[in-house]
C-alpha cells in the first residue's frame, strides 16, 4: 500500500505527497500532459526537442543543472508518445531548491536562439546515434507507421526525420510552451521525508503565483479499426533477421488492459514463457523471442518480437508463432500458468516500489491517467483476471486482421 | 485567493550541509568450511538479494569465452532440474536469478520476495554445485551469444570499446583479450565443465545477503553451503597489467558512418591508491556528471554530440580512465581537439573554488543517492570483498572530497592526466 496525500493549488497545479521517513533523499517528479501524439504531423519530434530546451535556462535561473548539482541533486527527463516527464532527486535538507528550480521553469523560459540552435544539433546527433547509426535502429519507426495509419502513434518520439527537428522555429517553441507548460497541465509528486504541511508551504510559496493556463483539448482522431492484415518486408545489413507482429489493443488501464498484459506475459515474458519454450528451446527457430505491451495511453499495441536463428526461413518462423497464438486462442491457460504470470506481475510491482523515485513517478503517472489511487488497485486488477478472460482477449484481438507483420531481413546471404 | 508572498526567485534557497550517508558495516559470518558471508539486514521491504561472488572472471580462462559462457550456463539445467524447470520455478515465485561474469568475477544474484527465498535457496545451491552443461542448452546459449556478438560488432561504440581495451592492455594481457567470431565455433562443452570444476567447485565464493534476511534464511543457507569447498584453494590473479600497451590515435574505418564513436584514455592507478579520491574528483569535473566541462563545452556549447562522459573503470588489478562519445562525422577532429583542450586546462589552471564546491556537493549528494534504499549497501560493498577494507573506504573517500584543494588536484592532473600518454580509438569515416 502506497500512502499519499493530494492537494491542488488555486492555479490548478496538483500535488501528490508520499512520505517515507526512512530516507535522507527527496524525489520530485513532474509530468506534463504532452507527448509526441500532440505534435503536428509536419513537425514531429517537437515534444522531445522541447524537453531539451527545458534545461536551457528559465526566467531567473540561467542554468538549470548548476544550482541543482550544488544542492547535491541529480535529474533527468524523458518524452514518450503520451507525456513529458521531469524528475530529480536531492538530499532532503535541500528540498527547497527543487521547488525553486521547477517553479521557475514553469513560470517562463529564457528562450534564446543559441539554446535552440544547439539543442537542435544535439537532438539531430541523438537521432543519428540511436536510430540511424545503429543496427535495427529504424525498426520501431517501420513498425509504428505500419500499425497506425491515422493516429499520431505512427511516429516515434524522436520524430519522423531529422529535417523536422532542424526546421523548428522560436515561434513554435513559444507557442508550445504556452499551450502545454502551465500549472493546469502538470502534476507534481514528491516522495521523501517531508511532512504534508511542509510540502504545502513550499508549494504555495513557489508555485502558487504562476498564472493558470488554458487546459488544451486533445483532438486526436482515433485509429480506425484495422480490417485486414498488414505486411512489410525490408532488407538491411544486419547479422540476423528479426520478425515483429503488432496487434492493436485497449487503452491504458481500460477494463481488459490487465488481461492484455497477462496475455503478453504468458506468451513471451522470460525463459519459461510459451514462445521461448516452444520456439527457442524446442523448435530452435529463434535465438530470442518475447511478447509485451507498449502501455500507451490511447489504444496501443501488443507486440511479439523475435530474432531468428541462422538459416531459418522467416516464413516458417512466422507460421510457428501463429501456431502458438492458435493454442492460446483455443484453450484457456491452465491454473499453474495463470498463478505463475500473476505472481510475477505482483512481485515486480513490489520490486519497482523499492525505489523512492519510482514511487513518486508511479503516483504522478496514475494521477495523470485519472487517479493516483490506482497504483494501489493494480494488484487486485491483475489478480481478478481469469484464464477465460485471457483466451477470450486472445480470440478477439490476436487475429490476422488485427496484425501488422514486419519482416526485417538480413541482407547477409550467408546467414539466411 | 490565498495569501502568498512573492518569493525571491533571483536567489537559490539557502543550502544546508549535506549529511554524510550512514555506512554500517555488514555482519560477518564464517562457515565451517571457511566460507565467508556478509549480511546487510534491512527490514524496510520484504525483499531479499543474495550475491554469490567467485573469482572466476575472464582473466582466469585459458580459452576465450569460457568464463562468460560457464557463468551463463549455470542455470541452464542441473542434475535434478532441467533448464525449463528452473525457469518455470523462478517465474512461478516471481524471482530472478542472474548469472553473469565480467573480467574479474562471476556473480550469481538471487532476487526474491522474502517469503519465497526458502523455495529458491536449494535451487541457487544446485546451480553452483551440479550444473550439467547439457549439449543442447550449450548450443542454444552459444548461438545466442554469437548472434549478440555479431549485432554488437556493427555498433560503433562497441567496436571502439573492444579495440580500446586491446590497445590499453595489449592483446595478450588477460584484460585486453577480446573474442572474435571464430572463438564461438571453437568453444566446447568440455571447456565449461573443466572451468566449472576449477573455478566454482574448487574455489570458495564470498556471499552477500541484503534486505529482509531472517534467521530461517541464514540457517538454511548454512545447511546448504557448509558441506562444500572443504579442500578448495583461493585462486591467485594471473598476470596483472603493468604498462599501457599503445598510445596515439587509431582509426577503425567505417565508410558512410554518420557519426564517429571515440574513446580516449589511459591506464591509471587502482581504486585503493592514495591518489584515487583526487582522480575521482578530477574525473567528475572533466566528464563525470551532467554539468561537467566536457558536457558543457562539447554538447551544450557546440552541439557536437548527444552525450560525452569520462569515467573510471576499476578492475580488480587495474583501472582505466577514459572519455567517450559519439559525435557528428564532420566535427570529429574538432571534438577531439576540445577534449585535449579540457584535459590540458586541468593540468595548467586550478579549478575555481565555486566549481570545486559544486562538485564536492554533487559528489556528496551522489553517494547519498547511491546508498538510498534497502539493497544498495551490498552493491557498494561488492568491489571491496576481496580487500581488507570495509565500508569505511567510502567514508575516507567522502572526507577526501571535502579536503582536497585546487592545487592538489592540479598536481594530480599533471601526474595522471597526460594526453601524450593516452590512446585514442575512433570508429567512423575518416575525412580527408
Amino acid at each position: 500500500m502506497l500512502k499519499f496525500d493530494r492537494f491542488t493549488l488555486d492555479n490548478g497545479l496538483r500535488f501528490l505527497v508520499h512520505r517515507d521517513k526512512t530516507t535522507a533523499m527527496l524525489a520530485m517528479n513532474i509530468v506534463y500532459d504532452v507527448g509526441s501524439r500532440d505534435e503536428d504531423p509536419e513537425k514531429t519530434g517537437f515534444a522531445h526537442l522541447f524537453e531539451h530546451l527545458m534545461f536551457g535556462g528559465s526566467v531567473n535561473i540561467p542554468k538549470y543543472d548548476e544550482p541543482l548539482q550544488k544542492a547535491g541533486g541529480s535529474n533527468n527527463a524523458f518524452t514518450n508518445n503520451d507525456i513529458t516527464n521531469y524528475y530529480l532527486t536531492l538530499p532532503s535538507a535541500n528540498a527547497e531548491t527543487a521547488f525553486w528550480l521547477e517553479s521557475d521553469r514553469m513560470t517562463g523560459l529564457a528562450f534564446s536562439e543559441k539554446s535552440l540552435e544547439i539543442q537542435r544539433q544535439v537532438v539531430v546527433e541523438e537521432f543519428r546515434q540511436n536510430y540511424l547509426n545503429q543496427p535495427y535502429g529504424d525498426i520501431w519507426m517501420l513498425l509504428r507507421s505500419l500499425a497506425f495509419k491515422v493516429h499520431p502513434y505512427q511516429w516515434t518520439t524522436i520524430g519522423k526525420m531529422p529535417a523536422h527537428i532542424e526546421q523548428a522555429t522560436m515561434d513554435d517553441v513559444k507557442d508550445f510552451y504556452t499551450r502545454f507548460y502551465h500549472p493546469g497541465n502538470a502534476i507534481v509528486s514528491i516522495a521523501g521525508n517531508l511532512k504534508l504541511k511542509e510540502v504545502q508551504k513550499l508549494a504555495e510559496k513557489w508555485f502558487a503565483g504562476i498564472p493558470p493556463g488554458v487546459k488544451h483539448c486533445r483532438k486526436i482522431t482515433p485509429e480506425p479499426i484495422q480490417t485486414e492484415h498488414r505486411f512489410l518486408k525490408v532488407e538491411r545489413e544486419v547479422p540476423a533477421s528479426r520478425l515483429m507482429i503488432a496487434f492493436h489493443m485497449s487503452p491504458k488501464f481500460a477494463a481488459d488492459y490487465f488481461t492484455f498484459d497477462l496475455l503478453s506475459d504468458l506468451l513471451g515474458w522470460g525463459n519459461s514463457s510459451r514462445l521461448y519454450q516452444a520456439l527457442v528451446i524446442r523448435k530452435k527457430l529463434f535465438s530470442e523471442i518475447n511478447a509485451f505491451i507498449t502501455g500507451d495511453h490511447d489504444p496501443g499495441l501488443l507486440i511479439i518480437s523475435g530474432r531468428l536463428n541462422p538459416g531459418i526461413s522467416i516464413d516458417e518462423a512466422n507460421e510457428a508463432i501463429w501456431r502458438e497464438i492458435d493454442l492460446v486462442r483455443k484453450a484457456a491457460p491452465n491454473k499453474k500458468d495463470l498463478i505463475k504470470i500473476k505472481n510475477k506481475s505482483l512481485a515486480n510491482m513490489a520490486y519497482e516500489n523499492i525505489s523512492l523515485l519510482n514511487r513518486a513517478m508511479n503516483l504522478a503517472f496514475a494521477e495523470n491517467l485519472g487517479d493516483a489511487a490506482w497504483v494501489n488497485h493494480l494488484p487486485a486488477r491483475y489478480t481478478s483476471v481469469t484464464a477465460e478472460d485471457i483466451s477470450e482477449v486472445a480470440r478477439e484481438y490476436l487475429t490476422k486482421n488485427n496484425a501488422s507483420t514486419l519482416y526485417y531481413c538480413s541482407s547477409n546471404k550467408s546467414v539466411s | 485567493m490565498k495569501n502568498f508572498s512573492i518569493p525571491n526567485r533571483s536567489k537559490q534557497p539557502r543550502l544546508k550541509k549535506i549529511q554524510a550517508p550512514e555506512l554500517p558495516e555488514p555482519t560477518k559470518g564464517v562457515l565451517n568450511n571457511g566460507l565467508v558471508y556478509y549480511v546487510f539486514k534491512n527490514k524496510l521491504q520484504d525483499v531479499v538479494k543474495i550475491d554469490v561472488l567467485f573469482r572466476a572472471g575472464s582473466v582466469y580462462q585459458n580459452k576465450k569465452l569460457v568464463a562468460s559462457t560457464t557463468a551463463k550456463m549455470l542455470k541452464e539445467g542441473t542434475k535434478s532440474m532441467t533448464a525449463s524447470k528452473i525457469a518455470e520455478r523462478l517465474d512461478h515465485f516471481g524471482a530472478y536469478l542472474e548469472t553473469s561474469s565480467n573480467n574479474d568475477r562471476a556473480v550469481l544474484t538471487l532476487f526474491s520476495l522474502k517469503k519465497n527465498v526458502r523455495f529458491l535457496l536449494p535451487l541457487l545451491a544446485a546451480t553452483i554445485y551440479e550444473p550439467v552443461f547439457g549439449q543442447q542448452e550449450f548450443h542454444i546459449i552459444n548461438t545466442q551469444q554469437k548472434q549478440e556478438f555479431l549485432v554488437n560488432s556493427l555498433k560503433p561504440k562497441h567496436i571502439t570499446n573492444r579495440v580500446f581495451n586491446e590497445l590499453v592492455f595489449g592483446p595478450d594481457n588477460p584484460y585486453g583479450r577480446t573474442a572474435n567470431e571464430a572463438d564461438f565455433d571453437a568453444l566446447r562443452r568440455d571447456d565449461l565443465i573443466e572451468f566449472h570444476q576449477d573455478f566454482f567447485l574448487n574455489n570458495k565464493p564470498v556471499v552477500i545477503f541484503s534486505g529482509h534476511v531472517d534467521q530461517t534464511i541464514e540457517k538454511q543457507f548454512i545447511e546448504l553451503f557448509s558441506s562444500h569447498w572443504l579442500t578448495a584453494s583461493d585462486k591467485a590473479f594471473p598476470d596483472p597489467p603493468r604498462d599501457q600497451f599503445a598510445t596515439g590515435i587509431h582509426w577503425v574505418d567505417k565508410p558512410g558512418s554518420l557519426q564517429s564513436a571515440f574513446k580516449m584514455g589511459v591506464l591509471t592507478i587502482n581504486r585503493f591508491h592514495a591518489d584515487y579520491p583526487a582522480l575521482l574528483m578530477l574525473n567528475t569535473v572533466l566528464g563525470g556528471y551532467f554539468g561537467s566541462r566536457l558536457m558543457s563545452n562539447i554538447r551544450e556549447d557546440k552541439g557536437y554530440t548527444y552525450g560525452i562522459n569520462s569515467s573510471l573503470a576499476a578492475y580488480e588489478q587495474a583501472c582505466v580512465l577514459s572519455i567517450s562519445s559519439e559525435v557528428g562525422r564532420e566535427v570529429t577532429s574538432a571534438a577531439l581537439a576540445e577534449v585535449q583542450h579540457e584535459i590540458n586546462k586541468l593540468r595548467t589552471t586550478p579549478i575555481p573554488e565555486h566549481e570545486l564546491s559544486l562538485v564536492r556537493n554533487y559528489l556528496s549528494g551522489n553517494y547519498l543517492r547511491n546508498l538510498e534504499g534497502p539493497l544498495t549497501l551490498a552493491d557498494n560493498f561488492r568491489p571491496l570483498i576481496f580487500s581488507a577494507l570495509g565500508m569505511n573506504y567510502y567514508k575516507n573517500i567522502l572526507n577526501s572530497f571535502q579536503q582536497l584543494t585546487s592545487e592538489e588536484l592540479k598536481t594530480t592532473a599533471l601526474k595522471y592526466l597526460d594526453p601524450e600518454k593516452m590512446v585514442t580509438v575512433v570508429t567512423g569515416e575518416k575525412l580527408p
Side-chain angles (χ1 to χ4, degrees), chain A residues 69-237:
Chain A
Q69 285 154 357
K70 218 159 143 187
S74 170
N75 72 285
N76 214 332
F78 67 80
T79 308
N80 66 26
N81 297 92
D82 299 311
I83 57 165
T84 313
N85 192 59
Y86 301 82
Y87 54 95
L88 63 86
T89 54
L90 83 176
S92 177
N94 290 329
E96 191 158 3
T97 285
F99 286 82
W100 171 65
L101 280 168
E102 291 300 344
S103 64
D104 206 56
R105 60 178 180 178
M106 201 183 285
T107 305
L109 292 186
F111 301 106
S112 84
E113 279 294 345
K114 162 142 192 191
S115 169
L116 175 58
E117 171 57 29
I118 292 286
Q119 292 309 320
R120 273 196 300 242
Q121 285 181 43
V122 168
V123 172
V124 168
E125 290 305 330
E126 183 181 357
F127 205 128
R128 291 173 164 187
Q129 181 179 319
N130 294 339
Y131 302 86
L132 304 178
N133 219 30
Q134 287 299 327
Y136 309 102
D138 61 346
I139 201 162
W140 278 99
M141 297 182 178
L142 296 168
L143 188 72
R144 284 193 169 272
S145 63
L146 185 66
F148 294 101
K149 297 299 173 196
V150 172
H151 195 283
Y153 284 166
Q154 66 191 267
W155 60 82
T156 53
T157 307
I158 194 74
K160 290 181 192 169
M161 57 188 95
H164 279 188
I165 295 150
E166 283 157 355
Q167 287 156 10
T169 68
M170 192 50 92
D171 283 342
D172 296 332
V173 173
K174 288 183 175 165
D175 174 60
F176 199 83
Y177 186 75
T178 313
R179 275 167 61 208
F180 299 112
Y181 282 79
H182 58 78
N185 205 43
I187 295 159
V188 183
S189 65
I190 285 152
N193 192 6
L194 275 191
K195 291 189 193 116
L196 174 63
K197 272 207 173 133
E198 295 172 283
V199 176
Q200 277 169 326
K201 221 176 102 190
L202 289 167
E204 282 286 340
K205 175 175 175 186
W206 293 104
F207 285 95
I210 304 172
V214 182
K215 176 82 186 170
H216 66 101
C217 192
R218 195 167 265 134
K219 287 188 206 112
I220 294 174
T221 316
E223 184 68 19
I225 290 174
Q226 186 179 327
T227 51
E228 56 181 20
H229 181 233
R230 294 177 190 155
F231 177 76
L232 176 68
K233 180 180 180 172
V234 296
E235 243 185 42
R236 296 285 188 272
E237 281 179 40

Side-chain angles (χ1 to χ4, degrees), chain B residues 27 43 92 150 217:
Chain B
T27 48
K43 295 181 183 170
H92 175 80
L150 292 173
I217 293 175

Side-chain angles (χ1 to χ4, degrees), chain A residues 131-132 134-143 231-244 305-308 314 405-411 416, chain B residues 154:
Chain A
Y131 302 86
L132 304 178
Q134 287 299 327
Y136 309 102
D138 61 346
I139 201 162
W140 278 99
M141 297 182 178
L142 296 168
L143 188 72
F231 177 76
L232 176 68
K233 180 180 180 172
V234 296
E235 243 185 42
R236 296 285 188 272
E237 281 179 40
V238 288
S241 299
R242 275 177 66 174
L243 169 55
M244 289 180 97
S305 168
R307 196 165 69 193
L308 273 70
I314 195 162
T405 305
L406 172 63
Y407 281 9
Y408 196 100
C409 295
S410 166
S411 56
S416 87
Chain B
L154 293 179

